[in-house]
Amino acid sequence: MATPRVLVVGIDGVRLDLLPLLDTPHLDGLANAGFLAPVHVDDSTPTMSGPCWTTIVTGVGVAKHGVWGNNFTGNRLGVFPDFTTRLATEHGLRTFAAGGWEPLFLARQGGPVFAAPSRLAYIAPREDSPQAWEECDRSVTAEAVRALSSGEDLDASFVYLGAVDETAHFLGCGPEYRRAIETADRRLGQLLAALRERPDARAEEWTVIAVTDHGHRDEGGHGGRSPLERTAWIAASGPGLTPSTRPDSLHHADVAAHVYAALGIAPDPHWTLDGRPFPTLTPRTA
Ligand SMILES: [Zn+2]
């Protein structure tokens, strides 16, 4: 039987309405093999990176994880850990988290979110600018490609790309922002290629989830409740996911829930996950 494995690629701040206008062949590939569908950030969740990413990787909402903004102080991640930490510490699986946004990976601003993955790669942007974040994302991708294309047993991984969001904050949602989305898609393509290069690729069944946390106003910026800001999306492909199972209603918390399901792990009721696995034609039995 093939070994199930999961890769989640988080691309910060990508507007759903612009995707059809852009050259994003790798996201299109996920959509064609599985689905790409909207997520409406719920009324209780600020449309900010901190709370949205925390919901995505823990599978519980803000009322439980307690991250309401981009300062993570006071969080309840000890009770509601991210999936890379839970799988490594409670299930003996190998996990990996990589990216350049400090509080996700380091004990800064009340972080980290990724408390104890088996392997962690934090690469700091040299300054707060779109160019520096592009360089950071390039290095993060290269590091993740090295880890993923090796023979290492990485059961579940999370790779964070931040340049798209940074570009919108500095320059609005114009041509630079659109180019940044296309660049992020190429990085997704490099990560997908790394999976195909793995020595045991044919003995593995990969679920790949690409997800964004929130949108942006035209002039750049988010945090409010406008449709542009609160519309996010999830794209996924993998066992049981086909265009005919495209979900009608998706929530950010479903990402972590699907990670567990894809690995054949039945959530303990005490985890009180708010998310549910994406619909599949042939549900897995744990
Ligand atoms: Zn964000």
Side-chain angles (χ1 to χ4, degrees):
M1 202 181 124
T3 307
R5 302 204 191 277
V6 183
L7 168 65
V8 180
V9 181
I11 311 174
D12 204 304
V14 179
R15 269 172 52 169
L16 178 65
D17 63 306
L18 296 179
L19 288 181
L21 310 175
L22 300 176
D23 184 30
T24 55
H26 304 290
L27 276 177
D28 297 345
L30 292 184
N32 292 335
F35 67 84
L36 191 160
V39 171
H40 297 287
V41 176
D42 67 66
D43 288 333
S44 63
T45 306
T47 58
M48 298 178 70
S49 304
C52 291
W53 285 120
T54 307
T55 297
I56 289 166
V57 302
T58 61
V60 301
V62 285
K64 290 176 187 166
H65 63 61
V67 175
W68 295 92
N70 288 345
N71 187 309
F72 293 68
T73 305
N75 73 67
R76 302 185 68 218
L77 289 159
V79 182
F80 303 103
D82 78 280
F83 67 83
T84 71
T85 296
R86 173 167 269 149
L87 290 168
T89 59
E90 298 178 23
H91 295 271
L93 297 182
R94 294 275 308 163
T95 62
F96 172 56
W101 189 35
E102 274 191 340
L104 292 185
F105 304 96
L106 302 182
R108 305 271 170 82
Q109 297 148 252
V113 172
F114 296 102
S118 313
R119 178 172 172 155
L120 185 143
Y122 168 73
I123 296 170
R126 63 182 160 74
E127 62 180 20
D128 210 22
S129 72
Q131 180 58 33
W133 266 95
E134 285 295 351
E135 291 163 15
C136 172
D137 282 1
R138 187 190 310 141
S139 300
V140 165
T141 303
E143 183 63 29
V145 163
R146 264 194 296 281
L148 289 165
S149 62
S150 76
E152 191 173 339
D153 279 343
L154 292 175
D155 299 291
S157 301
F158 181 93
V159 178
Y160 172 84
L161 302 176
V164 172
D165 182 68
E166 185 78 356
T167 303
H169 281 295
F170 274 75
L171 301 168
C173 293
E176 298 91 347
Y177 174 74
R178 295 165 196 226
R179 271 201 302 277
I181 294 173
E182 293 178 336
T183 302
D185 183 76
R186 284 200 293 280
R187 296 193 168 118
L188 171 63
Q190 291 174 276
L191 296 167
L192 293 171
L195 304 187
R196 292 192 295 270
E197 287 165 16
R198 288 173 61 82
D200 286 335
R202 270 181 290 181
E204 298 174 328
E205 260 189 337
W206 280 88
T207 295
V208 177
I209 301 169
V211 53
T212 200
D213 53 344
H214 51 71
H216 265 276
R217 298 188 298 274
D218 284 336
E219 69 276 24
H222 55 86
R225 306 242 51 94
S226 71
L228 280 180
E229 291 162 275
R230 70 187 302 182
T231 303
W233 50 264
I234 295 170
S237 72
L241 301 175
T242 68
S244 63
T245 61
R246 187 180 185 276
D248 293 332
S249 170
L250 268 178
H251 304 279
H252 271 148
D254 297 341
V255 172
H258 194 84
V259 170
Y260 294 124
L263 295 171
I265 291 170
D268 185 318
H270 292 96
W271 299 356
T272 64
L273 293 189
D274 293 322
R276 293 183 309 181
F278 310 143
T280 59
L281 279 178
T282 49
R284 271 168 186 277
T285 48

